[in-house]
Amino acid sequence: MKYFKKFVGHRLYLSPMNILDAEKYTMWMNDRSVTDPTGSTVKITSIEREKEWITNASKTGDANFAIVDIKTDELLGNCSLMNINRINRSCTIGIFIGDEENRNKGYGAEALKLLLNYAFNMENMHNVNLEVFSFNERAIKCYSKIGFKEYGRRHEVYFLDGKYYDKIEMEILENDFRKESTNFRAACCEI
């Protein structure tokens, strides 16, 4: 079996990452439509480097997941909880959907809800934050709809294709996330 249904939603599930996906991740990490919004366009990614990253990802203390289509078992993207601080009950979230044809279909929002459910109900987080660049309006809209709020902005910090863009800091508190869904568990996932 290539994937394991760790957290199951309506159309997708989160699975531990699989080393066999290194080639797919390498393709995505060399695709500017994926790397421009994540700030990693200047990185050169090889299959060997991606295999090493996947192998080491489970050793960092971060929670890294493959986002997988529930009907086809197709890899859709990746999401993570990073910089987990159990004393302050805070962490940073990251996500991307790899192939263009899978974007703007709600997969990102569903994966985020599953990941936030994990963060708040299993990892006992209180504050989850993220960074997004000002040109990524689709992601900002998605994050806002889920309940993330802007709390800061660093102006003209990201240089891409001859232009500077702002880095927007957003966060969600556990109580705010729970308010967004009257039936939290049913709306987010089956556990």
Side-chain angles (χ1 to χ4, degrees), residues 3 5 7-15 66-77 95 97 101-114 142 145-146 185-190:
Y3 301 111
K5 294 178 179 173
F7 303 113
V8 180
H10 301 291
R11 297 183 307 147
L12 57 85
Y13 62 92
L14 303 184
S15 170
I67 302 169
V68 184
D69 184 289
I70 202 163
K71 289 183 182 174
T72 65
D73 287 327
E74 174 191 358
L75 180 65
L76 301 172
I95 185 170
I97 301 297
E101 64 265 14
N102 292 322
R103 296 183 203 143
N104 211 26
K105 292 184 176 181
Y107 291 129
E110 186 172 343
L112 280 172
K113 288 178 183 179
L114 288 169
C142 174
K145 194 173 185 179
I146 289 172
R185 285 185 178 267
C188 291
C189 57
E190 303 163 18

Coordinates of all heavy atoms in Angstrom, one line a residue, residues 3 5 7-15 66-77 95 97 101-114 142 145-146 185-190:
Y3 N -0.3 4.6 0.4 CA -0.7 5.6 1.3 C -1.6 5.0 2.5 O -2.1 3.9 2.3 CB -1.6 6.7 0.6 CG -0.9 7.4 -0.5 CD1 -1.3 7.1 -1.8 CD2 0.2 8.2 -0.2 CE1 -0.6 7.8 -2.9 CE2 0.8 8.9 -1.3 CZ 0.4 8.6 -2.6 OH 1.1 9.3 -3.6
K5 N -4.6 6.0 5.3 CA -5.6 7.0 5.6 C -5.6 7.5 7.1 O -6.3 7.0 7.9 CB -7.0 6.5 5.3 CG -7.2 6.3 3.8 CD -8.5 5.7 3.4 CE -8.6 5.5 1.9 NZ -9.8 4.8 1.5
F7 N -6.0 10.7 8.3 CA -7.1 11.7 8.6 C -7.9 11.7 7.4 O -7.4 12.1 6.3 CB -6.6 13.0 9.1 CG -5.7 13.0 10.2 CD1 -4.4 13.3 10.1 CD2 -6.2 12.6 11.5 CE1 -3.5 13.3 11.2 CE2 -5.3 12.5 12.6 CZ -4.0 12.8 12.4
V8 N -9.2 11.4 7.5 CA -10.1 11.2 6.3 C -11.1 12.3 6.3 O -11.8 12.6 7.3 CB -10.8 9.8 6.4 CG1 -11.7 9.6 5.2 CG2 -9.7 8.7 6.4
G9 N -11.2 12.9 5.1 CA -12.2 13.9 4.9 C -13.3 13.4 3.9 O -13.5 12.2 3.8
H10 N -14.0 14.3 3.2 CA -15.0 13.9 2.3 C -14.5 13.5 0.9 O -14.9 12.5 0.4 CB -16.1 15.0 2.2 CG -16.7 15.4 3.4 ND1 -17.6 14.6 4.1 CD2 -16.6 16.5 4.2 CE1 -18.0 15.2 5.2 NE2 -17.4 16.3 5.3
R11 N -13.5 14.3 0.5 CA -12.9 14.0 -0.9 C -11.5 13.6 -0.9 O -10.9 13.3 -1.9 CB -13.1 15.2 -1.8 CG -14.6 15.6 -2.0 CD -14.8 16.7 -2.9 NE -14.0 17.9 -2.5 CZ -13.5 18.7 -3.3 NH1 -13.6 18.6 -4.6 NH2 -12.8 19.8 -2.9
L12 N -10.8 13.8 0.3 CA -9.4 13.5 0.4 C -9.0 13.0 1.7 O -9.9 13.0 2.7 CB -8.6 14.7 0.0 CG -8.8 16.0 0.8 CD1 -8.0 16.0 2.1 CD2 -8.5 17.2 -0.1
Y13 N -7.8 12.5 1.8 CA -7.3 12.1 3.2 C -5.8 12.5 3.3 O -5.2 12.8 2.2 CB -7.5 10.6 3.4 CG -6.8 9.7 2.5 CD1 -5.5 9.2 2.8 CD2 -7.4 9.2 1.3 CE1 -4.8 8.3 1.9 CE2 -6.7 8.3 0.5 CZ -5.5 7.9 0.8 OH -4.8 7.0 -0.1
L14 N -5.4 12.6 4.5 CA -4.0 12.9 4.7 C -3.3 11.6 5.1 O -3.8 10.9 5.9 CB -3.8 14.0 5.9 CG -4.6 15.3 5.7 CD1 -4.2 16.2 6.9 CD2 -4.2 15.9 4.4
S15 N -2.1 11.4 4.5 CA -1.3 10.2 4.7 C 0.1 10.6 5.1 O 0.6 11.6 4.6 CB -1.4 9.4 3.4 OG -0.4 8.3 3.5
A66 N 1.0 13.8 3.0 CA 0.6 13.8 1.6 C -0.9 14.0 1.6 O -1.6 13.5 2.5 CB 0.9 12.5 1.0
I67 N -1.4 14.8 0.7 CA -2.8 15.1 0.5 C -3.2 14.1 -0.7 O -2.6 14.2 -1.8 CB -3.1 16.5 0.1 CG1 -2.6 17.5 1.2 CG2 -4.6 16.7 -0.2 CD1 -2.6 18.9 0.8
V68 N -4.1 13.2 -0.4 CA -4.4 12.2 -1.4 C -6.0 12.1 -1.7 O -6.8 12.2 -0.8 CB -4.0 10.8 -0.9 CG1 -4.2 9.7 -1.9 CG2 -2.5 10.8 -0.4
D69 N -6.3 12.0 -3.0 CA -7.7 11.9 -3.4 C -8.3 10.6 -2.9 O -7.7 9.5 -3.1 CB -7.8 11.9 -5.0 CG -9.2 11.9 -5.5 OD1 -9.8 10.9 -5.3 OD2 -9.6 13.0 -6.0
I70 N -9.4 10.7 -2.2 CA -10.0 9.5 -1.6 C -10.5 8.5 -2.6 O -10.5 7.3 -2.3 CB -11.1 9.9 -0.6 CG1 -11.3 8.8 0.5 CG2 -12.4 10.3 -1.3 CD1 -12.1 9.3 1.7
K71 N -10.9 8.9 -3.8 CA -11.5 7.9 -4.7 C -10.4 7.3 -5.6 O -10.5 6.1 -5.9 CB -12.5 8.6 -5.7 CG -13.8 9.0 -5.0 CD -14.7 9.6 -6.0 CE -16.0 10.0 -5.2 NZ -16.9 10.8 -6.1
T72 N -9.4 8.1 -6.0 CA -8.4 7.6 -6.9 C -7.0 7.2 -6.3 O -6.1 6.7 -6.9 CB -8.1 8.6 -8.0 OG1 -7.5 9.8 -7.4 CG2 -9.4 8.9 -8.7
D73 N -6.8 7.6 -5.0 CA -5.5 7.5 -4.3 C -4.4 8.3 -5.1 O -3.2 8.0 -5.0 CB -5.1 6.1 -4.1 CG -5.9 5.4 -3.0 OD1 -6.3 6.0 -2.1 OD2 -6.1 4.2 -3.2
E74 N -4.8 9.3 -5.8 CA -3.8 10.2 -6.5 C -3.3 11.2 -5.5 O -4.0 11.8 -4.7 CB -4.5 10.9 -7.6 CG -3.7 12.0 -8.3 CD -4.4 12.9 -9.3 OE1 -5.6 12.7 -9.4 OE2 -3.8 13.8 -9.8
L75 N -2.0 11.4 -5.5 CA -1.3 12.4 -4.7 C -1.7 13.8 -5.3 O -1.5 14.1 -6.5 CB 0.2 12.2 -4.8 CG 1.1 13.2 -4.0 CD1 0.8 13.1 -2.5 CD2 2.5 13.0 -4.3
L76 N -2.2 14.7 -4.4 CA -2.7 16.0 -4.8 C -1.7 17.1 -4.3 O -1.7 18.1 -5.0 CB -4.1 16.3 -4.2 CG -5.2 15.4 -4.6 CD1 -6.4 15.7 -3.8 CD2 -5.5 15.5 -6.1
G77 N -1.0 16.9 -3.2 CA -0.2 17.9 -2.7 C 0.4 17.5 -1.4 O 0.5 16.3 -1.0
I95 N 1.1 24.5 3.1 CA 0.3 23.7 2.2 C 0.5 24.0 0.7 O 0.8 25.2 0.4 CB -1.2 23.8 2.5 CG1 -2.0 22.8 1.6 CG2 -1.7 25.2 2.3 CD1 -3.5 22.6 2.1
I97 N -1.1 22.6 -3.3 CA -1.7 21.6 -4.2 C -0.8 21.6 -5.5 O -0.6 22.7 -6.1 CB -3.2 22.0 -4.5 CG1 -4.0 22.0 -3.3 CG2 -3.8 21.0 -5.5 CD1 -4.1 20.7 -2.5
E101 N -4.5 21.5 -12.4 CA -5.9 21.1 -12.6 C -6.6 20.7 -11.3 O -7.8 20.5 -11.3 CB -6.0 19.9 -13.6 CG -5.4 18.6 -13.2 CD -4.0 18.5 -13.7 OE1 -3.4 19.4 -14.2 OE2 -3.4 17.4 -13.6
N102 N -5.9 20.5 -10.2 CA -6.4 20.2 -8.9 C -6.6 21.4 -8.0 O -7.1 21.3 -6.9 CB -5.6 19.1 -8.2 CG -5.7 17.8 -8.9 OD1 -6.7 17.4 -9.4 ND2 -4.6 17.1 -9.0
R103 N -6.2 22.6 -8.5 CA -6.3 23.8 -7.7 C -7.7 24.4 -8.0 O -8.3 24.2 -9.0 CB -5.2 24.8 -8.1 CG -3.8 24.3 -7.8 CD -2.7 25.3 -8.1 NE -1.5 24.5 -8.2 CZ -0.6 24.8 -9.1 NH1 -0.7 25.8 -9.9 NH2 0.5 24.0 -9.1
N104 N -8.1 25.2 -7.0 CA -9.3 26.0 -7.0 C -10.5 25.0 -7.1 O -11.6 25.4 -7.7 CB -9.3 26.9 -8.2 CG -10.2 28.2 -7.9 OD1 -10.3 28.6 -6.8 ND2 -10.7 28.8 -9.0
K105 N -10.4 23.9 -6.4 CA -11.5 22.9 -6.4 C -11.9 22.6 -4.9 O -12.7 21.7 -4.7 CB -11.1 21.6 -7.1 CG -11.0 21.8 -8.6 CD -10.7 20.4 -9.2 CE -10.6 20.6 -10.7 NZ -10.4 19.3 -11.4
G106 N -11.3 23.3 -4.0 CA -11.6 23.1 -2.6 C -10.8 22.1 -1.9 O -10.9 21.8 -0.7
Y107 N -9.8 21.5 -2.6 CA -9.0 20.5 -1.9 C -8.1 21.1 -0.8 O -7.9 20.5 0.2 CB -8.1 19.8 -3.0 CG -8.8 18.9 -3.9 CD1 -8.6 19.0 -5.3 CD2 -9.6 17.9 -3.5 CE1 -9.2 18.2 -6.2 CE2 -10.3 17.1 -4.4 CZ -10.0 17.2 -5.7 OH -10.7 16.4 -6.6
G108 N -7.6 22.3 -1.1 CA -6.7 23.0 -0.1 C -7.5 23.3 1.1 O -7.0 23.1 2.2
A109 N -8.7 23.8 1.0 CA -9.5 24.1 2.2 C -9.8 22.9 3.0 O -9.7 22.9 4.2 CB -10.8 24.8 1.7
E110 N -10.2 21.8 2.3 CA -10.5 20.6 3.0 C -9.3 20.0 3.7 O -9.3 19.6 4.9 CB -11.1 19.5 2.1 CG -11.5 18.3 2.8 CD -12.3 17.3 1.9 OE1 -12.7 17.6 0.8 OE2 -12.4 16.1 2.4
A111 N -8.1 20.0 3.0 CA -6.9 19.6 3.7 C -6.5 20.4 4.9 O -6.1 19.9 5.9 CB -5.7 19.6 2.7
L112 N -6.7 21.7 4.8 CA -6.4 22.6 5.9 C -7.3 22.3 7.1 O -6.9 22.3 8.2 CB -6.6 24.1 5.5 CG -5.4 24.7 4.7 CD1 -5.8 26.1 4.2 CD2 -4.2 24.8 5.6
K113 N -8.6 22.1 6.8 CA -9.5 21.7 7.9 C -9.1 20.4 8.6 O -9.1 20.4 9.9 CB -10.9 21.6 7.4 CG -11.5 23.0 7.1 CD -12.9 22.9 6.5 CE -13.5 24.2 6.1 NZ -14.8 24.1 5.6
L114 N -8.7 19.4 7.8 CA -8.2 18.2 8.4 C -6.9 18.5 9.3 O -6.8 18.0 10.4 CB -7.9 17.2 7.3 CG -9.1 16.5 6.6 CD1 -8.6 15.7 5.4 CD2 -9.8 15.7 7.6
C142 N -8.9 31.7 0.6 CA -9.2 30.4 1.2 C -8.9 30.5 2.7 O -9.7 30.0 3.5 CB -8.3 29.4 0.5 SG -8.3 27.7 1.3
K145 N -11.5 32.5 4.5 CA -12.8 31.7 4.6 C -12.8 30.7 5.7 O -13.8 30.5 6.4 CB -13.0 31.1 3.3 CG -14.4 30.6 3.1 CD -14.6 30.1 1.6 CE -16.0 29.7 1.4 NZ -16.2 29.2 0.0
I146 N -11.6 30.1 6.0 CA -11.5 29.1 7.0 C -11.5 29.8 8.4 O -11.9 29.2 9.4 CB -10.2 28.2 6.8 CG1 -10.5 27.3 5.6 CG2 -9.9 27.4 8.0 CD1 -9.2 26.6 5.1
R185 N -16.4 18.3 14.2 CA -15.9 17.0 13.7 C -16.6 16.6 12.4 O -15.9 16.1 11.5 CB -16.1 15.9 14.8 CG -15.1 16.1 15.9 CD -15.2 14.9 16.8 NE -14.2 15.0 17.9 CZ -13.1 14.4 17.8 NH1 -12.7 13.7 16.8 NH2 -12.2 14.6 18.8
A186 N -17.9 16.8 12.3 CA -18.6 16.3 11.1 C -18.2 17.2 9.9 O -18.1 16.7 8.8 CB -20.1 16.4 11.3
A187 N -18.0 18.5 10.1 CA -17.7 19.4 9.0 C -16.2 19.1 8.5 O -16.0 19.3 7.3 CB -17.8 20.8 9.4
C188 N -15.3 18.8 9.4 CA -13.9 18.7 9.0 C -13.5 17.3 8.6 O -12.8 17.1 7.6 CB -13.1 19.1 10.2 SG -13.2 20.8 10.5
C189 N -13.9 16.3 9.3 CA -13.4 15.0 9.0 C -14.1 13.9 9.8 O -14.8 14.1 10.7 CB -11.9 14.9 9.2 SG -11.5 15.3 10.9
E190 N -13.8 12.7 9.3 CA -14.2 11.5 10.1 C -13.0 11.0 10.8 O -12.0 10.8 10.2 CB -14.7 10.4 9.1 CG -15.8 10.9 8.2 CD -16.0 9.9 7.1 OE1 -15.5 8.8 7.1 OE2 -16.6 10.4 6.1

